[in-house]
Amino acid sequence: MSAAPDVSVVVAVYNTMPYLTECLNSLVQQSIGRERLEIVAVDDGSTDDSGRELDRFAALYPDTVKVIHQPNSGGPAAPSNRALEVATGRYVYFIGSDDYLGEEALERMVRCADTYESDVVVGKMVGTNGRYVHQALYKKSDPDVSLYDSALPFTLANTKLFRRELVEKYKLRFPEHLPVGSDQPFTIEACVRARKISVVADYTCYFAVKRGDASNITYRADHLARLRAAAEIMDFTAGLVEAGPGRDALLRRHFTWELAKLVQDDFPGLDRALQQQICAGIARLADVYFTDGIRDAMDVKRRVRIALAQAGAIDELAEAISSEKEYGAPPFVLEGERAYARYAGFRDPRIGLADRVYELVGESVPGRLAEGTRLLASAWEQQGETLTYTVSVRVPVLGDVDGTVLRLVKGAMPKSADKPGARRLKPDHVLPAPVGEMTVEPAGDGAAAVLHARVPLEYVTAKRGVRVYLYVAGSTYEIPVRGKDLPMPLARQWGREGDPYRASALVNDKGRVVIDTARMHPPKRERILRALAAPARKLKSLAVRLRSVGVRKLKSAGFKKSTGSKRK
């Protein structure tokens, strides 16, 4: 190869067969062309067929693939550093040897870097086989993103395009003693030093694979190794970025991810001495870096766990974790415009945590309300020509709950409410006055409230959802009542003589309770309109199903939805 390649791809390899073959194939087939590409693969003492597979590719593509074999070093840092010593490309790109690239990935990222004079380019990543990849950064392509005002701190893997001139100018290398997270110091410093960072989000550049046996190094490190690595990375970051909002924006990721992962569901079952070590390590970091800005930007669950660990409240921390695992999110304590999650330690004078630690912020409320809202009983009450729907619903709130009501609402919930199971209404949303009688009382266990509602039914043909409305911390939330696997009252006939109606309590395909009322003997005109509407609904449903089947078949054949081209 006479001229320097545009990009050197670094592949640190240790026992990744058969994934390695797909990785290498995705590299040699890049649309940028092998004449513009250099692949530097370092076999870190593999004991499977990885070394032989690398040699096979080097024999097939001698002008493109360079292979270095070395004794096992215990992690990807040393082989990555060894590859940087021999890389010659204008840019360097790192890929996990069990992952693979989209065909146009390198061409698009190099073009982006050349066009915008970027020192770092982040190509869109997705996870496969259950691998989680944070997606907030990839909402749109952006030629100039800030490390301190974007989702970039939540995407600190080294799987990016770096200008090699930047790497060599600042002697950027990977700390070889870190058992996990060794790519973060490299990536953080590169992004801090970069003149410009760009994002390519309109094309999936990188496919991150979770191996079938979950043997990726990310999934293997133990608690104390993770704690030591997080501490070193956070201290390293603090040495690069002065205290203030910028440092907070970076370190919030480490409290939210690395440290919060140490106090998850397995924490209550750990040895007491290990629990103490974990809490002491978190406390040391929290005492220095857990600012009000970081605290207030975190979701309440992680915020409470970090604060309990910082306070050394091991028993309360274990209780908060195990209780949520067994019973779901704790109830909210409503006090005027404020709401608090009643986790263990709330207003416990022995611990002394501020109320702000337990206070709710909007993004976590809908899902928590939906999770804790449960149907307890529903029935009909009939008196003469009047039929009343009676229902009791447990809602996860305490305190100022007098504004809690139930309504029967026509029309579907927006799709944005499907994942959390509820939604926050906009401030200008106008709700009709509630119909019927509402009473709220504390639940028998004192951990929630129970809403009792009696709603008289109207003489209408309609399907209406059963929904609870709560006022929490200055916002109104709409929560569909779920009834999946719960008994519903039998259909009931009621109404005026000669013009009876039928009422049914149904559970729709999303598990939500719907009250269906209709005339038993509708007029001829109404029957005709229904008959005309039914085929149209069936045709629309059939079209949706056929389109879904067609897309699945195309995907299974390897076709992309956007272009119709087949991925090689």
Side-chain angles (χ1 to χ4, degrees), residues 109-440:
M109 286 188 285
V110 168
R111 184 192 307 137
C112 176
D114 286 343
T115 300
Y116 299 109
E117 299 183 343
S118 314
D119 284 334
V120 179
V121 177
V122 189
K124 181 179 180 179
M125 295 178 63
V126 299
T128 68
N129 198 31
R131 179 83 173 267
Y132 174 76
V133 174
H134 198 270
Q135 292 296 303
L137 186 66
Y138 308 122
K139 291 180 179 179
K140 65 174 183 178
S141 294
D142 193 332
D144 191 3
V145 299
S146 167
L147 176 62
Y148 312 110
D149 190 22
S150 72
L152 184 54
F154 288 85
T155 312
L156 291 181
N158 65 336
T159 48
K160 298 169 176 59
L161 188 79
F162 299 92
R163 189 177 295 274
R164 197 165 66 85
E165 181 183 8
L166 175 82
V167 173
E168 296 309 322
K169 177 180 180 180
Y170 293 102
K171 305 299 180 185
L172 303 183
R173 292 297 186 268
F174 299 89
E176 299 183 11
H177 62 282
L178 283 185
V180 64
S182 61
D183 53 348
Q184 283 198 37
F186 181 100
T187 304
I188 291 169
E189 184 167 5
C191 290
V192 168
R193 307 287 191 193
R195 295 167 301 171
K196 187 179 292 184
I197 305 168
S198 301
V199 175
V200 174
D202 57 354
Y203 179 81
T204 301
C205 296
Y206 195 103
F207 295 85
V209 178
K210 181 178 180 181
R211 300 180 205 167
D213 59 358
S215 59
N216 309 59
I217 191 170
T218 309
Y219 297 92
R220 289 188 280 114
D222 63 30
H223 293 78
L224 294 182
R226 288 180 180 278
L227 179 60
R228 286 192 296 269
E232 182 164 331
I233 292 166
M234 294 171 74
D235 291 339
F236 174 83
T237 302
L240 283 173
V241 183
E242 65 181 15
R247 183 195 287 181
D248 285 355
L250 270 169
L251 295 186
R252 180 165 68 91
R253 172 242 163 82
H254 298 89
F255 281 103
T256 302
W257 275 12
E258 278 81 359
L259 297 186
K261 285 179 180 178
L262 300 174
V263 285
Q264 295 193 110
D265 290 349
D266 64 339
F267 179 85
L270 298 178
D271 177 80
R272 185 71 172 191
L274 180 55
Q275 290 178 334
Q276 291 172 335
Q277 287 179 284
I278 291 171
C279 288
I282 291 175
R284 201 277 291 177
L285 296 168
D287 288 345
V288 180
Y289 303 125
F290 196 44
T291 65
D292 291 349
I294 293 176
R295 179 199 66 191
D296 292 348
M298 291 178 67
D299 64 282
V300 67
K301 179 175 79 172
R302 292 182 177 91
R303 187 196 316 146
V304 167
R305 293 183 183 187
I306 293 295
L308 288 172
Q310 182 183 11
I314 296 175
D315 292 335
E316 288 76 12
L317 174 58
E319 181 185 344
I321 296 170
S322 58
S323 178
E324 184 157 14
K325 181 181 180 182
E326 185 173 357
Y327 302 111
F332 296 161
V333 179
L334 308 183
E335 294 180 354
E337 295 293 308
R338 298 185 181 277
Y340 306 93
R342 202 181 70 168
Y343 283 103
F346 177 57
R347 291 179 178 167
D348 186 334
R350 299 170 303 166
I351 301 172
L353 293 182
D355 281 1
R356 182 62 177 166
V357 170
Y358 293 84
E359 191 168 350
L360 296 174
V361 288
E363 82 282 349
S364 64
V365 173
R368 288 173 168 267
L369 288 174
E371 182 182 350
T373 298
R374 298 201 299 273
L375 178 65
L376 300 179
S378 61
W380 310 116
E381 282 185 6
Q382 188 167 0
Q383 292 182 342
E385 295 183 350
T386 301
L387 184 66
T388 299
Y389 177 59
T390 68
V391 58
S392 296
V393 181
R394 180 185 174 98
V395 287
V397 292
L398 296 167
D400 301 336
V401 297
D402 291 342
T404 303
V405 299
L406 182 141
R407 291 180 174 88
L408 303 184
V409 185
K410 190 173 182 179
M413 292 282 288
K415 290 184 178 179
S416 59
D418 288 347
K419 184 175 181 180
R423 65 166 174 161
R424 179 170 57 180
L425 299 181
K426 294 181 179 178
D428 58 354
H429 189 101
V430 179
L431 289 167
V435 176
E437 303 171 11
M438 313 282 163
T439 59
V440 186

